[in-house]
Amino acid sequence: MRWRKWFSFFLLFVLCVTGASTPAQAQSTPVISIFLDGQQIHSDVSPYIIPKVNVTMVPLRVISENLGAEVYWDGQSQTATIIKDDTVLSMKMNQKFALVNDGQIGLDASVENRGGRTMVPLRFVSEQLGLQVGWEQSTRTITLLTGNNPIATTPVPEPMPPQDITAPPINQPSGQTALRGVWISTVFNLDWPSAGSYGNQEKQKQEYVQMLDELQNMGLNAVFVQVRPAADAIYPSTLVPWSKFLTGTQGKDPGYDPLAFMVEETHRRGMQFHAWFNPFRAATDAKTETLAANNVVKQHPQWIVNSGNKPYINPGIPEARQHIIATIMEVVNRYDIDGVHLDDYFYPSNGNFPDDATFKAYNSKGFTDKAAWRRDNINQFVQQLDQSIKSVKPQVQFGISPFGVWRNKAMDQTGSDTKAGVTAYDHMHADVRTWIQQGWIDYVTPQIYWSMSFAPAQYDKLVTWWANEVRGTDVTLYIGHAPYKLGTNEAGWQNAQEIINQLNYNTMHPEVKGSIFFSAKDLRKNPLGLIQELRNYYFSR
């Protein structure tokens, strides 16, 4: 989410460019300017060139949540990690190579510390994240092009060190009707299990139990665990391979049923367990040789579309959609889950999805507009999945967590008063309004990953808009929150009170029945003392 959600969110990422002129010390040369899609990026630490290797270094930046990336700095290991879509880039200080997903790539310059800020090589990171990089020697200007229209450019400070927390004994807060959930990402081992637990089921169990205890101690009562990171499974399946994020190798049996264990442990605490599926991502990279023999990429190559050098299951093919529904129904039929949860990954938001042949072959309704046809494909998928779930277990909730902006008012007068560069309807082809009006989902959780003071996509305006959307329907509204932004310089995230203010605002709309936080690791880091603030809020109600 948007590992989304991950995006769902403003692209936190790092940049690198090679200067075309004779290198010189930053202090004795003109300032280097950086422009992203025509908008200048300002920095409290000026970009500079490392003379011997002629590499331009820049600080970690917030460029655009619309591209769905995150940046993390581990002060203990001196490592910067950047996650965008299915790309994970890791660079360690004084280490002459970067880790990009499963491979090593040599570096002329790695992470440095300058003026208390973490600096990274611009061109290398930019190209890994798919940006176009230009250099104008006469003006010493770097130009970055994404193909999007970012709505914010703000610097990202280093994360605060973790704080010691002495938690009182667990007791349940009053007012049990509100859902207080958290997303637990398994893709790239972001939240659980750790990469260090590969092949060690006891360690994985211990990690989950400890995480669950900590989350419940914060007042939370529901988890949304990613059980299908990428056309795979963290449970024994007859249709898809074991996830590599359990053992390091896709298709390898971890020696136990992680999903059965997690459902049991979660329910033992009186908490809800929602199974979170990423429906259309076929793999996290293009390395087909690392995929198991029963991966959909190998079994049904005719269903696969490559976008951004990554394989996706084509939503335009009815048989492919039915395959995904069948994999989800395995879980519905076999496990005592409380809900089926989908994230915001439908069609890739970058617009690069070559499906002209599919449009011609599977257009029985005669659409002339491909975008409308794509939305209809997703609509059919959502409707049929809902019918499948309700036909066997009507008590299981079915919900989706779309990108936080359906459409901008500039594109549709009934849209929100926002200026988002990406929208669910126009870019992911997610017609959320239709899902709500037709009652194909039980709940909707928009990822409103902006603050109350961020004018281009203001939290309170969006909550009000979504509350109006579900009013008069049978669809429940939960709100997706972004604690991962606390401690950054983006407007409004300098104090943990921002999250509390959001929770308080939610109570003004009776349609809002709860909140979900992205993600578990970010809550556990206790950014700006958030854990105690949540405890004070939830246990006093």
Side-chain angles (χ1 to χ4, degrees):
M1 164 123 41
R2 29 265 325 15
W3 349 69
R4 150 194 300 122
K5 264 52 343 357
W6 2 297
F7 272 36
S8 191
F9 341 24
F10 288 135
L11 170 64
L12 302 173
F13 86 92
V14 288
L15 313 166
C16 155
V17 80
T18 302
S21 63
T22 302
Q25 294 296 332
Q27 303 95 302
S28 60
T29 56
V31 172
I32 297 173
S33 300
I34 303 175
F35 287 82
L36 173 64
D37 290 331
Q39 184 173 356
Q40 186 169 6
I41 299 173
H42 299 283
S43 173
D44 55 348
V45 177
S46 299
Y48 60 89
I49 295 175
I50 300 177
K52 292 183 179 180
V53 292
N54 205 30
V55 170
T56 300
M57 305 293 290
V58 296
L60 296 175
R61 303 288 297 175
V62 175
I63 303 301
S64 168
E65 178 172 6
N66 299 321
L67 297 180
E70 300 175 76
V71 169
Y72 299 96
W73 170 252
D74 186 334
Q76 184 174 0
S77 66
Q78 300 288 285
T79 301
T81 301
I82 304 99
I83 303 168
K84 177 181 181 294
D85 295 330
D86 299 325
T87 298
V88 176
L89 172 62
S90 179
M91 292 178 293
K92 186 174 182 179
M93 193 172 292
N94 300 321
Q95 187 168 271
K96 294 303 182 181
F97 63 87
L99 298 177
V100 181
N101 291 340
D102 295 325
Q104 293 186 8
I105 299 179
L107 292 173
D108 292 323
S110 189
V111 182
E112 291 189 351
N113 187 282
R114 174 67 65 96
R117 300 296 297 276
T118 301
M119 310 294 288
V120 295
L122 179 60
R123 180 179 294 277
F124 174 78
V125 179
S126 297
E127 292 178 347
Q128 293 300 320
L129 298 182
L131 278 76
Q132 301 178 52
V133 184
W135 167 258
E136 175 56 50
Q137 167 59 22
S138 60
T139 60
R140 293 179 63 80
T141 299
I142 297 166
T143 302
L144 306 172
L145 297 177
T146 66
N148 288 334
N149 297 307
I151 59 177
T153 56
T154 54
V156 180
E158 306 310 325
M160 293 184 65
Q163 303 177 27
D164 291 330
I165 303 165
T166 302
I170 296 177
N171 58 334
Q172 290 299 317
S174 58
Q176 286 294 305
T177 56
L179 181 135
R180 302 178 300 281
V182 59
W183 280 290
I184 298 175
S185 300
T186 57
V187 68
F188 303 120
N189 304 108
L190 293 180
D191 292 313
W192 181 90
S194 71
S197 71
Y198 283 170
N200 187 337
Q201 62 173 288
E202 292 307 316
K203 185 174 182 180
Q204 291 180 358
K205 291 178 179 180
Q206 181 183 10
E207 288 178 352
Y208 185 77
V209 167
Q210 180 179 350
M211 177 173 59
L212 208 59
D213 287 343
E214 291 179 23
L215 296 172
Q216 189 175 36
N217 231 343
M218 299 176 202
L220 304 188
N221 60 15
V223 293
F224 294 72
V225 180
Q226 192 176 37
V227 301
R228 175 187 167 91
D232 53 5
I234 64 165
Y235 53 90
S237 170
T238 61
L239 299 173
V240 295
W242 280 104
S243 174
K244 72 176 181 179
F245 302 116
L246 292 167
T247 63
T249 302
Q250 188 175 89
K252 184 176 181 180
D253 190 335
Y256 75 117
D257 186 339
L259 181 51
F261 171 78
M262 289 191 293
V263 170
E264 180 180 0
E265 283 295 322
T266 304
H267 284 168
R268 191 166 64 84
R269 290 164 173 76
M271 302 173 72
Q272 294 185 34
F273 186 99
H274 293 247
W276 162 21
F277 299 83
N278 182 292
F280 294 102
R281 181 165 58 200
T284 56
D285 56 44
K287 298 178 180 179
T288 58
E289 66 273 12
T290 65
L291 300 178
N294 61 333
N295 185 283
V296 66
V297 174
K298 293 187 174 181
Q299 288 199 328
H300 300 283
Q302 72 277 14
W303 293 354
I304 302 303
V305 173
N306 287 299
S307 176
N309 201 34
K310 300 175 187 68
Y312 293 85
I313 300 173
N314 192 340
I317 300 177
E319 294 83 0
R321 297 196 300 264
Q322 286 301 320
H323 165 77
I324 298 170
I325 291 173
T327 64
I328 295 173
M329 291 307 298
E330 266 194 318
V331 174
V332 174
N333 284 306
R334 289 169 44 196
Y335 297 91
D336 183 24
I337 60 173
D338 298 288
V340 167
H341 183 82
L342 304 184
D343 52 30
D344 58 335
Y345 285 91
F346 296 101
Y347 281 90
S349 61
N350 60 20
N352 177 24
F353 198 81
D355 58 352
D356 287 346
T358 310
F359 181 42
K360 292 178 182 178
Y362 296 95
N363 189 9
S364 60
K365 296 183 181 179
F367 285 99
T368 57
D369 176 25
K370 185 194 282 189
W373 169 77
R374 286 176 173 176
R375 282 188 286 272
D376 184 67
N377 293 332
I378 301 301
N379 284 350
Q380 290 185 62
F381 172 74
V382 171
Q383 181 184 20
Q384 291 165 7
L385 177 55
D386 176 60
Q387 291 172 345
S388 298
I389 295 169
K390 294 301 186 287
S391 67
V392 296
K393 287 187 179 180
Q395 75 277 14
V396 171
Q397 296 289 293
F398 172 39
I400 297 178
S401 177
F403 185 76
V405 177
W406 175 71
R407 296 195 89 186
N408 293 315
K409 196 171 184 179
M411 293 294 295
D412 187 324
Q413 280 300 309
T414 66
S416 54
D417 183 17
T418 51
K419 296 179 180 179
V422 169
T423 63
Y425 183 92
D426 297 293
H427 296 85
M428 285 87 165
H429 301 95
D431 189 5
V432 188
R433 173 174 284 173
T434 294
W435 308 342
I436 292 171
Q437 292 177 347
Q438 295 296 324
W440 294 339
I441 54 178
D442 296 303
Y443 68 83
V444 62
T445 307
Q447 299 171 23
I448 308 183
Y449 292 169
W450 304 281
S451 73
M452 303 276 280
S453 53
F454 186 71
Q458 199 164 305
Y459 177 89
D460 50 344
K461 289 183 178 180
L462 282 165
V463 170
T464 299
W465 187 89
W466 284 100
N468 290 335
E469 283 295 297
V470 303
R471 186 171 298 126
T473 73
D474 293 327
V475 176
T476 296
L477 175 61
Y478 304 131
I479 302 298
H481 298 265
Y484 74 90
K485 283 191 172 180
L486 285 172
T488 71
N489 280 356
E490 184 179 307
W493 295 103
Q494 289 71 54
N495 194 298
Q497 186 63 34
E498 172 65 30
I499 293 291
I500 305 304
N501 291 343
Q502 293 181 3
L503 295 175
N504 283 325
Y505 185 82
N506 292 352
T507 64
M508 298 174 59
H509 294 279
E511 294 81 10
V512 180
K513 303 298 184 183
S515 298
I516 308 177
F517 300 97
F518 189 86
S519 65
K521 67 179 181 304
D522 300 290
L523 288 181
R524 298 174 76 191
K525 289 177 182 176
N526 192 32
L528 305 181
L530 176 61
I531 290 178
Q532 192 57 51
E533 295 292 337
L534 286 177
R535 286 184 54 77
N536 291 342
Y537 181 84
Y538 284 134
F539 286 93
S540 64
R541 301 181 73 80

